[in-house]
Structures are given as structure tokens and as C-alpha cells.
Amino acid sequence: MGNYFFDSATVFEELDRVDGKAKVTGQAKYSAEYEMPGLAYGVIVGANISKGTIAAIDINAAEKAPGVLGVVTHLNITKPAGYIAADATKPAAVRGLKVFDDNVIHFNGQPIALVMADSFERATHAASLIKAQYNKETFSTGLEQAMKDEKPLEGNQYKESIRGEKDAWKNAAVKVEGTYTMPNQVHNPMEMHATTVKWEGDDKVTVWEKTQGVKSTQRDIMQAFALTEKNVQVNTLYVGGGFGAALRTWPHAMAALIGAKKIGKPLKVVLTRMQMFTLVGYRPEAIQKIAIGADNDGKLIGMMHEANAVTSNYENFTENIVKMTRALYSCANVTTKYNVYPVELSTPTWMRGPGEATGSFPLECALDELSYQLKMDPIELRLKNYAETDPENGKPYSSKFLKEAYQLGADKFGWKDRHPIPNTMMENGWKVGVGMSTGIFGAFRNEAKLGLKLMADGTLIMQTAVSDSGPGTATAMTKIAADAMGLPYNKIKFELGDSSLPPGPTQGGSSSTSTVGAAVSTGCVTLQKKLAEAAKSSPVFGHIVAVENFLFQNGEMVLKTDPTKKLSYSEVLKNAGMTSIEFIENSGRNPAMEKYSAYSYAVHFVKVLVHPLTGVVKIAKAVVAGDAGKIVSPKTAKSQMIGGVVGGIGGALMEESVIDERYGRWINNNFADYHVPVHADVPAIEAVFVDKPDPILNPVGSKGMGEIALIGFAAAVANAVYHATGKRIRELPITPDKLI
Amino acid sequence: MLLVKWLKKEAPVINFDYVKPTTEQNALTACKDPLAQFIAGGTNLVDLMKRGVTNPEKLVDITGLPMSNIEQKGDNIFIGSLALNSVVAEHELIKKHLPLLSQALQAGASPQIRNMATVGGNMMQRTRCGYFYDLSMPCNKRTPNSGCGAKEGYNRMHAIFGASDKCIAVHPSDMCVALAALDATVLIANGKLLRRVPFKDFHKLPGSNPEKDNNLLKGELITGVEVPINAAFAQHSLYTKIRDRASYAFALVSVAAALEMNGKTIKDIRLAMGGVAHKPWRLTTAEQFLKSKEATPANFKQAAMLALKDATSYGHNQFKLTLAPNTIVHTLHTLAGI
Amino acid sequence: MCQQPTNDAEKQPSLHHARRNFLKQTSALTALALAPSVVMKAAEKKLDEKAAGFFEQKTLNIEVNGKAHQLSVEPRATLLDVLRENLHLTGSKKGCDLGQCGACTVHVDGKRVLSCLSLAVMQNGKKITTIEGLQQGDQLHPMQEAFIKHDGFQCGYCTPGQIMSAVACISEGHAGTDNEIREYMSGNICRCGAYPNIVDAISEVAKKGGSRD
């Protein structure tokens, strides 16, 4: 046994979310909740054709409707500077869809007008009075059709990647192959996208925006309207969920900026839930072929993975769908191909576990299928092909504790009780099955600047322009600083969501804790040095001023050699005649990382019940074991992993956004018909961590978590369903109709 | 290139007049205007108004009328049309005498919606067909003669019984399936005499006029339902709802079943299905077949096959041709304890 | 002639009545008052709707979190929008505006309902409790404390609705087991996936003998 849990110098202590009280009392304000005099309400009107041009648009009735303050269309728009490229050889500053730029319709639901009125009801009603005539063109919205009719996009990112011998899998002793489909999935954060805009004159604006990137939103607005950094203020104190949908500055936000400028009043634009399906991205549908060959001992001989997915007809969206197949297992011969077809839908965007969540479904199902053919335990098969170095480039890993995660998860789940033969276990009239899968996602660290202020009363204030869409960034940063500085939590304040703060990263790709945490960690080291320097003025320590000689605990500097000699931080400042210590810490990538590959890992274990007559699938139990490096804030980390599993339940069992390809319109674009899990779908879920630091990626030792929490989960469910029923479902979601 | 002209769109969130009468007579008078509608819980009507599917110019709020009582009247349970779904579901009389109704209500919507929705409103709720809700797609139910989007479109949730060329939508209620099974009677006021309509005849099939969901006439008001007490059924009844998630979802199919057993023999039986037709679908052929037969898996299976004799599918909903009989069998198995 | 709707519950004149009176007083249109109702209706729509709109409001008396309010609202305004936009009580959230997510859950006369599907004008005389009214002074409601303790949220957007629903779930007597809690909380969607933690929070409060409301 040993002393494992007591090794750490820091005593384990649960830290509640630092914004918890604001969130449970309704005081936390989201982007549509700022009160200001004269606030107007904007409603976006969407096109109801999928491709063509607007022949005529009648805004007369809308303009005359009660309370209407103005209407913006492509005919009356004052175009922002960033719509037009200064240099014809370069693209315009505003990328993607330039809202109201012209009369061209790229997808059904594309904004054709913004109606602004003095109340939400009046704006909504007036919006319905907008009438448009179109020149309609033929279109396609479905991947299957596009694959038949069109050619995929060409370019380096779509080229076939071949490692070793191309068709090696075909000659293997044991092989599996299959085609897997996955529908469009929609992020659907609970807060609908909202933008509140207040112009002061023509060249200064404040925006309250739902965004995962405060600085990226600020940059987009600066570029669109040719404004200076100090004249664009972006506020994002609270974000009601993002999952990727708030990574971009979307057309509705640009519409709000244009509209508010037109009417000369503060304006807020909130999308409807229906618009959340068309205007803020989605995970694109995919049809994937996979083939794996192994020898009789389970050693992988070759793999082939071809993914087909959609993008819009005006932007090339790509994600790492096939990367996991190249990177997860040790296999000499791997061929991957990624085909992307433009269709008449809006541009997809990264959704939790982007790429890997899609690619892991065929990969981890195929591994499972192979394990049954080999009559080998699925974990054993994975360990047999465990990659000790990165198969893509031979680099060592900065850290990899996937083996430990398999063990930890298997023990917690009780995997050893699994019956090796499928379709054999029953409980109370339900078929029982268990399944597992692996998920990986690159571990990243980006640049951040962090403002630190140690105040006269010993309070530490940290500031950076990030936003937090839910994982609890401020909470984790508070924990890191508290541990480093020996300060109680209530003496630490982490400020975010304000573009005037030192620039921080966008919250995406599971990198916030790694990136910002690194800045907090090194910032605290710098602060300790500055404190030691300031302590020169304090006679109690005599001539000893080198930082190495001190402990920083309980808000005090303590001399290591004589712990009776100590001084509180506020006394250090006072003795030095300082009112505060303030500085900006710059943090970036560790150059040593060039030599390493870095990934986070999750292993999902699921027990399902399948009703033999009705095909209903229940998740009876789920365990996720993660290697996400050092766990900074255990409580919020656990919640984030559990949350990813819940998202995974949605993707596995129910999420499917349906488009009628004749009309190019969404059929189930609301929460009653696009099902996401409810309480009754979700059992108790256990999240466990290896909790070993990555020694190289960043000084905190943490790796990302948000993505791996979900990646692979759908495969684990499909594998469990196979174990329960003997039916291999290769089409998501696994609804009752597929099992009867 | 084709020039498409769009018809005048319906207008969501139109403003309207609002009155709240306190007597039945005044309510009926207030609702005589052609574009007036009653409102009670509003859980479907407000939704429909927000989407522009329904655009009343006047709402007559009937929640001030004394129509929410639940009581035993002789051999019947009377339920006022304004009784809340949650109150009915948990009422002692209902739990004791009509557990099937209680179960069906609990299977519907969410606790919050059941706290708002009334019995009369539940009967009046409209289909959840996606084409019905989208003003930019055809729907004969919403806009007569605009076509049916679902028939050759996405029809996974749609009818397998009694549909017409004009409409293949289903009625979304759970409560109504139980009331149809239990031979309830609908009580309707029209200012003159009280009209009594057997529950199975209240809703209609789409036929050539799918814009009408039921046989209630303009100027009429549902005042309540009467449900006969059957002690045997109260002992053996079950509502099974199959859906895409475990709660807060409309039925793919549902089955309401009540049995009266005499030893191993079925003395009497009531069977109805939801999610399969434009109205709650009573399975009379299956009922007839099972009467006086033994409760065996073979008999249940045959009854389920008989029940599906006239079923048709439209593509995406083909699975219902299997799911429906399986759910009937599963429900009867559970109920008979086999 | 046009039939005046009966309106015996409220003393204020009906919308059409008030609006027509206003229109009658507009000199240029006096003649129209004599026109058949259908014609008048059509004519009305071409009139100065902005001015007429002023009369399309109803008086609403409601008590919100113990405080009485007299408001003038359009009949089409929902309770949720009146809370958020008129009273600036933004704790009740708009997650779908269609009664499909539960984020707008409030208590009306002690019962949990969806404020996005409740017309404000129909709440006349009723007592509303929102998340802002749950705590007593500085003292959080036990359910609020339990949500913090069990980390029953991430982004926080569904949280007010979850908490209002959770308090009612216990007072209704539907928090006997974890499975019962799951079923009776299923009207509240959480996209971050905090469900297991929420169930833990409710279960703990229920076991401690329920909660104050």
C-alpha cells in the first residue's frame, strides 16, 4: 500500500466553485441579461430556401409594425469596413458568412434581415412580416447524396495518408471491416447565443457576447469595423455552455453590431432555439469505412480508415476524424483518407471532442469486433497494441498513463466479471451487456498573459481575458494559486471575461487549465521572488533574501532554517513601503515539448440493459478513467468528466438532427424533438483519474480533459449493446427501432 | 432557374385581445368571434402561437371557471376539464379507481407541464409533426391544401393506422390513450344542452380535413370527462410508453391495457395505443380475440398480430410495425405476470 | 355591428374596445366607425399601429418574491419575458422558449411551472417565486447550498430552473429514491451533464427532512 495518498505536500481539500453562489442565486449574468436604458431587441429572419438568390425582399410591413426601430437587409446595409478586402488579392477581414453582404443564399435559415423593435414581442412579430422572393437553385444537404453526386474537396489536408504498406490489413489472418454512420449533432448549450451591443459614437463599442474566446471576439470586431483595440470592449462574465458552439464570432453577432449602429440604440439579439441548429455550427454527419487486420495473437497488421463528412459551400471545415486511427495503437501499416463534401448547410464547427469523437466510433467498435473474433478480452487486445512511442512520429510521450487508466477503470467497473460470450446475460427480463473503449485527444498549451496583483491586505488578484463556459476555470486557477502561495481560497480572486484584461486564450481544445494554469503557476513563482526581494526591507530575515530560503504558507513567508522567523505578505509589503506588487506574467509553450508527443486519455466502461421486445437501451452504469495529468481541482474535474459521459450518452443513444433534403430544412430543431439526455437517462457515473503529473507540458502537470470525457463513449455503448444482444449497430444514434 | 414566390406567412406572436370570464355562459359568448380561442394551461397553445401555427385574435381565459373538480358520481369518476394533469394523476380517487389514467398522465410531458396542463387542454393538444410546426414546409393540417410534407418526408414519428393521403400525423397525448381504453365519455357545453360524446369518437381521423383534430364544434366547451369505474380493471392495468429517451419525450408507440381475469382466463380486456394514429387507437379486434381466452404468450402474440392487420408504414416509421405488436405483447405479459 | 366581447372578470375595457375608442377619436377616421366590422377591421390595420399599440396592454397585478407589482403588459408577453425584461429578474432563464427545457421554471402559487409557456396576463393576482426569492436574506436555501456542495452545475444556466424544480420535487413528495428524483426532475435539461451531482444534492436535502419553500 504505502503512503501514496499522502505524498503530496498539499492536503487534499475540496474547493467549491468560486462562482457557485452567483450561479445558484440567479445573480450570474449572461450576455442577454444586461439592463440599459433604451435597449432595443433584434430578431433574425432566416431564408427559407437552401440555395439561390433573393429576388426581392419586402420590409414595408415590418417597418410599419408597432414599435419597430429599423430593419437591416442586404439592400440597406452599411457594410462594415472588414467586408471589403483592401487588397483584392487577399481575402476580406471578415471570414465565413458575411451577413447581409449580398443576395446570395448559401443555406436554409441564413439571415436575410434583422428586425429591431422596442420590445421582444414586437420585434418577433415584425420579423414575421418580412417577405422575400427567391430565385431558387438545386441544392444538396445530405452527405450520402453528395457522395454520389459530387467530388470531395481537394487539398493537402484531404490527401491520403499512408504509413507502411497500404493494403496490409487485407492479408492479415483475422480481419474486420465495416461502414459506420453518424448524423449531424448539434451542441445546443442551454444558453442560446446572445449578443448585446452598445455603440458610443461610430468608433467605440461595448459588446456583451456569448463567446469562448474574449480576445478572439474582440479581434473579429476590430477587424470587421476597423476599430482600435481600446475601442472594442468585449464582456463575457458568464457563458451558459459552449461545447464549441461559441468558438467563433457568428453572423448574428455581426448583425447585432450592424443593427445597433443603424438605430443608434443599444441592441440585443438572442437566437431562438431553432436558430441554434442553423446559425452556430454543428458536428457534421459522417460516413466512415474502417478495416483492421491482425495476426492470430491480436497484433495489428494493418488498418484502413476512410472518413466522409460535410462542410458548407462557403467555408472549408476540417477536423481530425482519422487522426486517432493513426495515433492510438502501435501498427506499422495505416492508411487514412478524409473526404469533405460541401453541401447547402451552414459551416460546421468543433463540437466537444471534435474529430476524435467521430473517428473513435468506427475505430473502437472495430477493435471490439476484432476482440470477439480473436476470442480475446478487449482490454487485452488494446494492451497488445499499446504504443510506447507516438506511432506517427516515433517521439516519446511527455506522459502516458493509459495502461494505468485501463487498470483503474476496469477495477472500478468490475470488468473481470464480464462474460466473454455475447447475448448471454439477463437481468429482470432485460439483456445485459458491458463494453469499453479508449479515447485520446492531444494535450496542448498555448500562450497567455496573466496579471497578478498582491494587495496590501494580502489578497491576490489574478486577471486574464478568458471566458469560462462551464468547466470552472476560475476555480481551478484559484486552487493552483492557493497551493503555490499558501493562501486561503478567500484571499484569491480570479478575474476573467473582460477584453481589457491581459490577453488570455480561447477556451477550447481542452487547453484552459494547461495554458492559464501554467501562467498562474509561473506567475506565483515570480511573485515569490518579488516578495523575497521586497523582504529585504524586513529586519526579521536579516540578510537572507534568496527565495529558495523561504516557505510560502498560510499567507506568510517562513524561513526554512528557522520557522519562528516569519512574516505575513501584507507585512512584507508594509515594511517595504509598497501598497501592492503588480506585474504581468507571460506564459507560453515549453520549447522542450518539440521532442515529445502529448495526449490525454480516457477509458470508458459502460453497462447497458437492452429490452428484448422493445429495443429500449438503458445505461445502467458508466465508469470513466482518465489520464489527464495532475488533477488540479478534483471536484470540478470529476464533474467535467461526468458531464462528458452525459454528452456521450446523448450521442450514443439519441442525438440526431434531421434535415428534410427536399426542403433543406431541419425537422427536429428543438429540444422536444432533438433529444438530449434528461435526468432519467443518466445513472450514477464514476469518474476516476490516474492523477499523475505530466512533467513536461506545463509546470502544473495537468493535461486536457473536456474532450476525452466524451471521445469514444459512443463506441463503448455500441460495444456493450453488441455484448448484450449480439447485434453490431454501426449507425448512431442507437434508438429502439435499430434493436427490434 | 425557378422563381419561387412565397405565400403570405402566418404571423407568430401576433398581439391579441384577452378576456377572462367567470361563467360558462360568458366564456361561450366571448369565444363566438371567429378568431377567438379558449386558453387554459396554454402549454401547447402558447407554443403554437409563438411559432405562428395558430394566430388567435382573442384568447378567452377559462381558468376562472369552476371546472376542476374530481369526484365520484355513482359508478363513474367525473373529472372537470380544468383539473390539472398533475392533480388528476395523484388524486386518491384516480389512483384507486383509474390507475391506468394516473400512469398515462405521469408518462406525459414533465412535472412542470403537468402542473399547468388541464384535462381539456390535453385532449385539445395538436400533433408534434415537424412539418406542422414549420411555416416554410407544407402541411395540410396547418394550411389546408398545402400538401403533406411527412408522407414522403421524414415520418419516423408518424401514423401506421387510419392515416389519409392528406395527413399521417399522430395525436401526441398519453392521457387520451388511457381514456379511450377506459371507455370515457366527454361532456361538452354549447350554451344550450350538454352534449355527451364517447371518448373514442371525440378525436377524428384526418380524412380529407386534417385541419380538424376532433369533433368539437366552434362555440363548444369541454366541461369534463366521465370514466366508468371497473374494479377489475383497476387491479390489472398498465400503460407502457416507448420513447427515444427515458422521460420527457413523445411516444414512439404506447399501449394502455386493462384486464379482468377469471383465473387464467381473460374475462374482459381494454386495449388502446398511442403514437400510431391521428387519434387514440382502440384495438377492438384484439380485444374481441382475447375475450374468454387464456392469458398465454401465444394468444397475446396472435392478438397483437390481429391488431396490426390494417397497419401501413411510410418508410421511416416502418419499425412501428414491429415495435407496436412487441409493445402490446410486452404490456400484456407484464400485466398477466408471465 | 361588431360584438363587444364579454369581460366580466376585469373592469378595464377590452383591448379592441380601448383601441377602437382611440381610433374613433382620430378625426380622419370617424367615418369608419360606421362601417361594417369587417371593413373597419381591415381599415384599422392600416392605421397608426404604433399609437394604437399603446392601448394593447392589460393591467397585471402580481407578487414576485414577496413584492407586489402593478404592470401594464401586452397579452402576448410571457411571464418569463416580463420577469426578465420588465422586472429585470434575469435569474429565470430562457433556454428554449418553447416549454422544452425547464430553465425558466418558477413557482406560481407554490407550484412549479414553466414561465415561458405562461402568459403574464394570466398570472393576475398570483404569487410568483423565482430563484432570486429563494434565499432568506443572506441565508441560502438548503437546496442552493446543496447544489454548491455537490457541484450540481457547470455553466450555471440551467441551475435556477433545476433548483426551483428540485425544491418543488421534494415538497411534492417525489424525492423518495434516486430513481424517483431522476424521473421527476426530467423536465429540467442540463447540457453540461451535471445530473448525477444534482441528484446527490436533492437526495441529501430530501433526507435532511426536505426544504423550506
Side-chain angles (χ1 to χ4, degrees):
Chain A
M1 282 294 289
N3 237 359
Y4 179 76
F5 289 104
F6 304 99
D7 282 349
S8 168
T10 310
V11 179
F12 178 79
E13 193 181 334
E14 295 270 22
L15 170 57
D16 294 332
R17 262 167 218 273
V18 295
D19 51 7
K21 193 174 173 189
K23 285 176 174 175
V24 302
T25 55
Q27 300 307 311
K29 281 202 184 297
Y30 299 80
S31 295
E33 299 177 345
Y34 289 86
E35 185 188 342
M36 54 197 79
L39 181 66
Y41 297 77
V43 170
I44 301 271
V45 182
N48 51 15
I49 68 156
S50 291
K51 192 177 186 186
T53 51
I54 303 169
I57 185 161
D58 179 2
I59 62 171
N60 203 23
E63 278 188 322
K64 289 203 172 118
V68 170
L69 300 164
V71 177
V72 183
T73 71
H74 70 284
L75 293 175
N76 68 9
I77 182 180
T78 305
K79 287 187 189 174
Y83 270 29
I84 302 130
D87 172 354
T89 62
K90 287 179 186 157
V94 176
R95 289 186 299 270
L97 184 84
K98 297 184 198 66
V99 68
F100 310 138
D101 188 34
D102 55 27
N103 67 346
V104 181
I105 300 300
H106 300 274
F107 62 92
N108 216 312
Q110 176 182 327
I112 59 166
L114 171 72
V115 179
M116 297 165 284
D118 60 1
S119 80
F120 168 67
E121 294 80 13
R122 287 171 152 191
T124 304
H125 176 61
S128 74
L129 303 175
I130 300 280
K131 280 172 226 148
Q133 290 180 0
Y134 302 97
N135 298 310
K136 208 175 161 188
E137 294 168 27
T138 55
F139 65 92
S140 153
T141 54
L143 175 60
E144 207 179 334
Q145 195 62 39
M147 285 169 68
K148 280 183 202 149
D149 299 345
E150 314 196 7
K151 284 193 171 138
L153 295 174
E154 286 175 10
N156 276 339
Q157 68 268 48
Y158 310 117
K159 284 217 175 98
E160 189 173 56
S161 153
I162 304 172
R163 179 162 82 227
E165 188 194 328
K166 188 174 173 180
D167 289 327
W169 70 272
K170 287 182 180 167
N171 306 318
V174 186
K175 53 196 173 192
V176 294
E177 58 178 312
T179 299
Y180 293 77
T181 66
M182 195 166 151
N184 290 312
Q185 297 176 348
V186 184
H187 311 67
N188 271 316
M190 293 311 295
E191 180 202 17
M192 300 182 291
H193 278 59
T195 309
T196 306
V197 180
K198 190 181 178 189
W199 285 94
E200 290 161 57
D202 268 352
D203 63 351
K204 193 166 186 226
V205 70
T206 304
V207 179
W208 291 262
E209 166 73 336
K210 177 189 176 99
T211 176
Q212 291 168 242
V214 177
K215 291 303 281 186
S216 62
T217 297
Q218 183 195 37
R219 186 201 61 220
D220 289 345
I221 296 169
M222 283 161 54
Q223 290 180 354
F225 291 89
L227 301 175
T228 60
E229 186 171 6
K230 71 173 174 39
N231 278 5
V232 177
Q233 173 64 36
V234 176
N235 297 321
T236 310
L237 270 184
Y238 291 96
V239 179
F243 317 112
L247 283 169
R248 295 187 67 173
T249 308
W250 294 103
H252 70 271
M254 214 51 82
L257 281 147
I258 294 165
K261 203 166 189 184
K262 180 184 173 96
I263 61 171
K265 280 172 181 284
L267 174 75
K268 85 171 158 195
V269 172
V270 183
L271 295 187
T272 63
R273 182 52 67 185
M274 281 78 85
Q275 289 170 335
M276 293 293 290
F277 285 73
T278 48
L279 296 180
V280 292
Y282 54 94
R283 193 200 299 283
E285 71 167 309
I287 298 175
Q288 303 177 74
K289 283 184 206 156
I290 197 153
I292 302 183
D295 68 15
N296 286 316
D297 296 330
K299 180 78 198 106
L300 296 180
I301 301 296
M303 300 202 275
M304 184 285 295
H305 184 176
E306 181 193 297
N308 300 278
V310 297
T311 184
S312 69
N313 58 30
Y314 55 91
E315 263 180 309
N316 297 354
F317 171 81
T318 58
E319 56 185 354
N320 282 331
I321 297 188
V322 292
K323 182 181 165 64
M324 186 166 155
T325 302
R326 292 196 302 268
L328 178 53
Y329 298 109
S330 169
C331 179
N333 307 299
V334 180
T335 301
T336 61
K337 177 87 173 81
Y338 176 41
N339 302 318
V340 174
Y341 296 83
V343 294
E344 277 64 49
L345 291 176
S346 59
T347 309
T349 199
W350 299 285
M351 178 166 160
R352 198 169 196 175
E356 278 83 349
T358 304
S360 60
F361 175 52
L363 176 64
E364 287 297 283
C365 285
L367 257 286
D368 194 67
E369 203 174 349
L370 189 64
S371 77
Y372 284 98
Q373 284 206 20
L374 289 160
K375 296 190 170 35
M376 186 183 255
D377 183 282
I379 296 179
E380 197 190 324
L381 174 63
R382 285 164 172 87
L383 290 174
K384 185 108 195 168
N385 296 286
Y386 195 82
E388 296 291 354
T389 56
D390 188 335
E392 287 202 281
N393 50 30
K395 287 181 185 175
Y397 295 106
S398 57
S399 66
K400 180 175 181 176
F401 301 106
L402 176 56
K403 260 181 201 161
E404 289 80 350
Y406 284 128
Q407 189 64 49
L408 191 63
D411 290 349
K412 195 81 189 173
F413 185 80
W415 183 254
K416 64 175 171 30
D417 300 331
R418 168 183 177 271
H419 193 293
I421 313 293
N423 199 8
T424 46
M425 307 201 300
M426 292 284 283
E427 272 176 26
N428 304 317
W430 293 69
K431 295 185 171 199
V432 182
V434 295
M436 56 80 57
S437 71
T438 317
I440 65 169
F441 197 78
F444 305 104
R445 172 184 173 185
N446 301 313
E447 288 172 6
K449 291 186 196 298
L450 179 79
L452 291 99
K453 290 184 196 177
L454 183 66
M455 310 303 285
D457 65 353
T459 303
L460 175 61
I461 298 169
M462 294 179 288
Q463 300 176 317
T464 184
V466 297
S467 67
D468 177 16
S469 59
T473 304
T475 307
M477 297 310 121
T478 300
K479 186 82 170 67
I480 294 169
D483 291 353
M485 292 307 298
L487 279 170
Y489 299 135
N490 63 9
K491 283 283 203 185
I492 296 172
K493 202 173 169 201
F494 188 85
E495 294 177 351
L496 46 58
D498 173 346
S499 62
S500 68
L501 300 176
T506 291
Q507 185 168 63
S510 296
S511 60
S512 288
T513 301
S514 172
T515 302
V516 185
V520 171
S521 181
T522 61
C524 287
V525 171
T526 310
L527 179 58
Q528 289 175 356
K529 284 182 191 151
K530 289 183 187 281
L531 268 170
E533 184 66 24
K536 277 181 185 164
S537 321
S538 299
V540 60
F541 297 130
H543 62 284
I544 308 165
V545 290
V547 68
E548 300 77 31
N549 297 324
F550 294 97
L551 292 171
F552 295 82
Q553 58 189 34
N554 303 320
E556 295 171 325
M557 289 178 69
V558 182
L559 195 60
K560 281 182 186 168
T561 50
D562 180 2
T564 62
K565 291 190 173 167
K566 55 185 180 182
L567 212 52
S568 74
Y569 302 154
S570 39
E571 283 172 301
V572 172
L573 290 184
K574 197 174 147 195
N575 293 346
M578 299 165 80
T579 52
S580 67
I581 296 176
E582 297 183 23
F583 61 99
I584 289 177
E585 179 74 15
N586 290 309
S587 170
R589 296 183 178 87
N590 179 1
M593 278 303 294
E594 288 300 317
K595 287 179 265 168
Y596 296 92
S597 277
Y599 286 95
S600 292
Y601 302 88
V603 187
H604 289 287
F605 294 87
V606 182
K607 174 184 173 184
V608 300
L609 303 176
V610 182
H611 194 271
L613 275 175
T614 62
V616 170
V617 179
K618 280 189 203 171
I619 306 290
K621 184 174 167 182
V623 170
V624 54
D627 165 20
K630 162 89 180 154
I631 301 308
V632 168
S633 168
K635 193 171 184 170
T636 52
K638 216 174 123 187
S639 295
Q640 195 179 3
M641 285 296 262
I642 288 171
V645 170
V646 174
I649 293 175
L653 296 185
M654 59 193 84
E655 291 186 40
E656 175 177 21
S657 72
V658 180
I659 297 164
D660 185 321
E661 294 184 23
R662 298 168 303 165
Y663 303 100
R665 291 183 70 82
W666 305 87
I667 296 291
N668 61 345
N669 50 355
N670 61 75
F671 268 142
D673 300 311
Y674 180 93
H675 296 123
V676 299
V678 296
H679 274 280
D681 293 299
V682 179
I685 296 166
E686 293 207 63
V688 290
F689 297 104
V690 178
D691 197 9
K692 287 190 179 169
D694 183 302
I696 300 159
L697 182 66
N698 62 55
V700 181
S702 74
K703 296 192 284 191
M705 189 185 298
E707 325 294 332
I708 52 160
L710 180 141
I711 293 166
F713 191 81
V717 174
N719 295 343
V721 166
Y722 175 78
H723 187 235
T725 65
K727 285 184 191 166
R728 178 67 63 185
I729 308 295
R730 304 178 203 270
E731 184 185 353
L732 294 180
I734 306 171
T735 42
D737 48 294
K738 300 191 176 88
L739 286 163
I740 53 170
Chain B
M1 214 159 68
L2 175 70
L3 184 71
V4 177
K5 281 193 181 182
W6 285 90
L7 296 170
K8 175 190 169 292
K9 286 192 350 183
E10 289 89 342
V13 200
I14 190 168
N15 210 1
F16 47 81
D17 196 0
Y18 168 82
V19 292
K20 187 176 181 181
T22 51
T23 68
E24 186 182 297
Q25 196 54 50
N26 288 342
L28 287 167
T29 309
C31 209
K32 273 186 179 158
D33 290 1
L35 290 168
Q37 276 195 38
F38 292 121
I39 185 168
T43 53
N44 189 206
L45 183 55
V46 173
D47 177 18
L48 291 164
M49 286 161 61
K50 285 184 185 194
R51 305 232 220 155
V53 177
T54 304
N55 302 291
E57 290 197 354
K58 179 161 80 174
L59 285 187
V60 180
D61 176 355
I62 54 171
T63 59
L65 306 186
M67 301 197 303
S68 56
N69 51 322
I70 300 166
E71 54 195 301
Q72 185 165 349
K73 289 183 175 173
D75 293 337
N76 289 298
I77 301 291
F78 173 83
I79 306 166
S81 66
L82 288 174
L84 296 177
N85 284 190
S86 57
V87 171
V88 178
E90 308 212 7
H91 198 280
E92 283 312 315
L93 280 174
I94 306 297
K95 285 200 282 193
K96 183 178 171 200
H97 296 296
L98 309 171
L100 183 63
L101 176 61
S102 178
Q103 290 171 35
L105 280 163
Q106 304 275 27
S110 73
Q112 290 96 313
I113 291 175
R114 298 198 290 269
N115 272 344
M116 303 168 73
T118 63
V119 167
N122 190 320
M123 290 164 62
M124 296 301 290
Q125 71 177 303
R126 311 211 62 191
T127 185
R128 303 301 306 192
C129 174
Y131 298 89
F132 176 67
Y133 273 89
D134 185 343
L135 305 186
S136 293
M137 290 198 282
C139 172
N140 289 321
K141 183 180 276 299
R142 186 194 65 242
T143 313
N145 301 317
S146 62
C148 172
K151 214 173 59 182
E152 281 153 20
Y154 184 74
N155 48 40
R156 182 167 178 268
M157 301 299 289
H158 290 69
I160 53 171
F161 293 119
S164 74
D165 269 358
K166 295 254 183 182
C167 180
I168 63 169
V170 297
H171 194 262
S173 171
D174 294 298
M175 177 196 83
C176 293
V177 181
L179 287 174
L182 294 169
D183 291 321
T185 301
V186 186
L187 309 182
I188 297 169
N190 58 17
K192 287 169 256 163
L193 37 92
L194 195 70
R195 201 153 75 91
R196 297 172 63 88
V197 177
F199 199 92
K200 66 181 173 52
D201 299 330
F202 179 80
H203 295 96
K204 62 181 267 297
L205 289 177
S208 58
N209 59 341
E211 67 276 13
K212 275 185 72 66
D213 296 343
N214 55 55
N215 294 311
L216 194 72
L217 302 172
K218 176 73 188 165
E220 290 189 323
L221 179 64
I222 304 166
T223 59
V225 291
E226 253 176 34
V227 195
I229 293 172
N230 180 321
F233 288 165
Q235 290 303 306
H236 288 97
S237 57
L238 182 65
Y239 187 74
T240 308
K241 184 176 182 182
I242 307 303
R243 39 190 159 176
D244 284 326
R245 66 181 174 196
S247 188
Y248 204 12
F250 292 97
L252 293 168
V253 303
S254 67
V255 172
L259 281 180
E260 183 182 354
M261 299 297 292
N262 184 1
K264 283 181 179 170
T265 307
I266 298 164
K267 195 175 164 203
D268 202 358
I269 180 166
R270 297 287 182 276
L271 276 174
M273 290 199 83
V276 291
H278 198 258
K279 59 186 284 186
W281 196 252
R282 220 13 220 275
L283 307 177
T284 41
T285 317
E287 288 176 6
Q288 288 304 326
F289 171 81
L290 284 171
K291 263 184 207 168
S292 312
K293 291 222 168 50
E294 273 198 30
T296 63
N299 282 335
F300 290 157
K301 200 165 179 184
Q302 195 165 348
M305 281 169 66
L306 282 171
L308 265 285
K309 206 166 102 7
D310 298 322
T312 332
S313 78
Y314 296 88
H316 295 97
N317 67 347
Q318 195 175 5
F319 71 95
K320 287 191 182 181
L321 301 183
T322 309
L323 184 60
N326 283 7
T327 307
I328 295 168
V329 169
H330 166 58
T331 305
L332 292 172
H333 278 190
T334 311
L335 205 43
I338 53 177
Chain C
M1 282 298 294
C2 175
Q3 185 184 351
Q4 288 300 324
T6 310
N7 187 356
D8 54 5
E10 293 175 50
K11 291 292 169 243
Q12 59 175 301
S14 83
L15 174 158
H16 283 172
H17 186 80
R19 191 163 123 181
R20 277 166 200 158
N21 278 346
F22 163 77
L23 295 168
K24 278 176 197 171
Q25 287 153 17
T26 311
S27 58
L29 306 161
T30 312
L32 283 175
L34 302 168
S37 64
V38 179
V39 175
M40 192 176 124
K41 232 177 163 114
E44 248 182 60
K45 289 190 172 162
K46 292 178 189 161
L47 299 176
D48 184 356
E49 287 282 357
K50 291 185 191 194
F54 177 75
F55 290 91
E56 297 179 349
Q57 302 217 330
K58 296 278 177 186
T59 304
L60 168 64
N61 287 293
I62 45 171
E63 189 183 307
V64 181
N65 301 331
K67 192 178 164 196
H69 294 271
Q70 187 173 73
L71 304 165
S72 181
V73 299
E74 290 183 339
R76 60 184 163 182
T78 62
L79 175 60
L80 176 63
D81 286 320
V82 167
L83 289 170
R84 284 171 66 85
E85 306 302 333
N86 299 31
L87 299 176
H88 306 295
L89 292 168
T90 55
S92 305
K93 302 301 184 195
K94 187 181 275 193
C96 69
D97 213 17
L98 299 171
Q100 302 169 343
C101 79
C104 67
T105 303
V106 300
H107 297 177
V108 173
D109 290 343
K111 271 186 180 322
R112 54 171 156 166
V113 301
L114 299 178
S115 60
C116 80
L117 288 184
S118 304
L119 294 176
V121 72
M122 288 177 71
Q123 314 308 312
N124 198 34
K126 293 185 176 168
K127 289 186 173 149
I128 320 289
T129 306
T130 71
I131 190 74
E132 290 94 342
L134 207 54
Q135 68 194 90
Q136 289 187 348
D138 288 339
Q139 182 66 46
L140 293 184
H141 187 282
M143 192 63 76
Q144 292 171 312
E145 282 178 347
F147 265 63
I148 294 176
K149 179 180 165 192
H150 292 277
D151 209 30
F153 51 90
Q154 290 178 46
C155 81
Y157 199 79
C158 74
T159 312
Q162 298 277 359
I163 291 174
M164 297 310 288
S165 203
V167 169
C169 182
I170 292 177
S171 63
E172 289 164 4
H174 290 139
T177 64
D178 284 358
N179 276 339
E180 191 183 16
I181 292 170
R182 288 183 185 116
E183 174 59 32
Y184 282 87
M185 285 300 291
S186 280
N188 291 84
I189 292 175
C190 169
R191 192 60 165 150
C192 297
Y195 296 132
N197 297 356
I198 293 170
V199 172
D200 288 348
I202 298 171
S203 170
E204 182 184 271
V205 177
K207 282 183 189 125
K208 281 182 184 164
S211 60
R212 184 190 86 216
D213 183 19

